[in-house]
Amino acid sequence: MTVADLVNKLTQLEQTLVQPSPLELFTPNWPGASDVTIYIKRDDKIHPVISGNKWRKLKHFIREFVDQSGLSRAEGSLPAEGSASAEGSLPTEDSVRLISFGGGFSNHLHALGYVCYQLAIPLTVVIRGNYSSSPTPMINDLIAWNANIEYVDKATYKLRDTSEYLDTLKRRYPNATIVPEGGSQLQALAGVSDLVTEIDNEIGTNYHTIITPVASGATMAGIVSAVEKHQHVVGIGVLKGQDYLESLVAKFLSKNNHNWHIEHEYHCGGYAKAPAYLTEFCHQFKSATGIAIEPVYSGKVFFALKKMLGQGAFVKGSTLVVVHTGGLQGSRS
Ligand SMILES: Cc1ncc(COP(=O)(O)O)c(C=O)c1O
């Protein structure tokens, strides 16, 4: 495949994406809901696999990677599909490869795996925990999409951002490009900020609050970097991490933005914890609205929204936009 083919494939993939994503009015019969106007930014509808914040975070990186891949390849061609190295063995000299990290249900690895499969870019995924005898649906998809999977224990996974560990990966995959966990790198912010532009184009800038889940912080930082001074961004922490989550968001922000804060009351026990009341809420929400949500991200956001409306947490008459960041594949069993 030539570099031109690769660019064409990316363009074709982009044409399958729903952009701008829909912005839908949301009128639940929850206490306090009639005091405000609520919209849902349906990023979950961008694509069945590369949904939610995944495409937002990957788009600029992938575009740059594809554009630059021509520079790093003398012959201008990619390795044949299926030439990815077998698990654990030393790789051949790839002319182009991505490496990334995640858990066994990672939405990021799922989206990246699909993109790489569509573009025939070799991908190595480093997965926390050994799922070789019982792969999750997400891992089965990655296998079907020709990803090279390396399972590592929790202690090794913790080293994923250290230069020592990254150096060992680079020695084994000399030409590979590393994508941080969650796709959370600086280019992610520009992609996420596009969702704010889409909202502005649809309803103007006369809204007050955007609500979004927070885990690695890049999605929230991208939104904060794009909103106007009169607007406020509320993050819903999906894991226990007061101060920690704030530091993750702040590290992406170049200037001293003050129009954001994170709510820490709605992690529901911690990351990926799904107590019965939360799964029940997700089911009820789906039957009442027709909108699917899952317990790890969107379920916590709408659960928080309901509680906060009941507490009168938002200024009466104000307009809120809740970002549905997708991630529904992660709740498959
Ligand atoms: C579906 C979904 N929503 C929200 C988030 C949180 O985004 P961030 O990690 O950028 O804070 C993630 C994790 O990346 C996710 O997979």
Side-chain angles (χ1 to χ4, degrees), residues 51-54 57 106-108 181-184 192 212-221 238 245 249 252 271 294 296-298 324-328:
S51 83
N53 59 350
K54 299 304 143 215
K57 285 163 97 173
S106 167
N107 296 315
H108 159 66
E181 183 184 55
S184 293
V192 172
T212 189
V214 188
S216 69
T219 303
M220 180 164 191
V238 301
L245 290 179
V249 175
F252 287 113
Y271 183 70
E294 47 66 60
V296 183
Y297 299 100
S298 51
H324 189 326
T325 53
L328 295 162

Side-chain angles (χ1 to χ4, degrees), residues 109-314:
L109 290 185
H110 196 241
L112 184 64
Y114 181 81
V115 171
C116 287
Y117 177 59
Q118 291 298 323
L119 305 184
I121 297 172
L123 171 68
T124 290
V125 296
V126 178
I127 292 188
R128 178 175 173 272
N130 190 341
Y131 292 85
S132 50
S133 56
S134 55
T136 63
M138 192 287 285
I139 292 173
N140 280 329
D141 284 343
L142 289 181
I143 293 168
W145 296 334
N146 300 331
N148 168 39
I149 297 176
E150 296 197 6
Y151 296 114
V152 297
D153 59 24
K154 287 180 188 170
T156 308
Y157 191 81
K158 270 194 179 163
L159 304 174
R160 66 192 176 281
D161 293 326
T162 62
S163 50
E164 291 82 357
Y165 181 69
L166 293 175
D167 284 348
T168 61
L169 278 179
K170 280 179 196 151
R171 273 198 293 278
R172 294 174 56 216
Y173 301 101
N175 296 308
T177 300
I178 290 176
V179 185
E181 183 184 55
S184 293
Q185 51 198 337
L186 212 53
Q187 288 120 310
L189 267 65
V192 172
S193 72
D194 290 348
L195 80 84
V196 176
T197 311
E198 290 178 14
I199 299 169
D200 295 353
N201 288 343
E202 194 147 351
I203 58 170
T205 56
N206 206 12
Y207 58 94
H208 308 88
T209 306
I210 297 187
I211 304 172
T212 189
V214 188
S216 69
T219 303
M220 180 164 191
I223 296 172
V224 171
S225 69
V227 294
E228 295 191 357
K229 285 207 168 56
H230 70 276
Q231 297 168 322
H232 192 83
V233 185
V234 179
I236 306 300
V238 301
L239 48 100
K240 289 183 188 169
Q242 187 136 15
D243 298 336
Y244 168 69
L245 290 179
E246 279 80 359
S247 71
L248 292 183
V249 175
K251 90 168 180 222
F252 287 113
L253 297 170
S254 54
K255 50 182 189 274
N256 211 5
N257 300 87
H258 297 293
N259 51 344
W260 61 278
H261 81 274
I262 299 175
E263 294 283 334
H264 292 282
E265 305 298 311
Y266 305 104
H267 55 66
C268 303
Y271 183 70
K273 294 277 189 278
Y277 65 85
L278 181 61
T279 49
E280 183 52 29
F281 173 80
C282 293
H283 286 132
Q284 279 177 8
F285 187 91
K286 168 84 188 343
S287 26
T289 65
I291 301 171
I293 54 174
E294 47 66 60
V296 183
Y297 299 100
S298 51
K300 288 178 185 174
V301 166
F302 284 100
F303 183 78
L305 175 70
K306 183 175 181 183
K307 293 271 180 210
M308 291 171 77
L309 286 167
Q311 294 157 4
F314 304 102

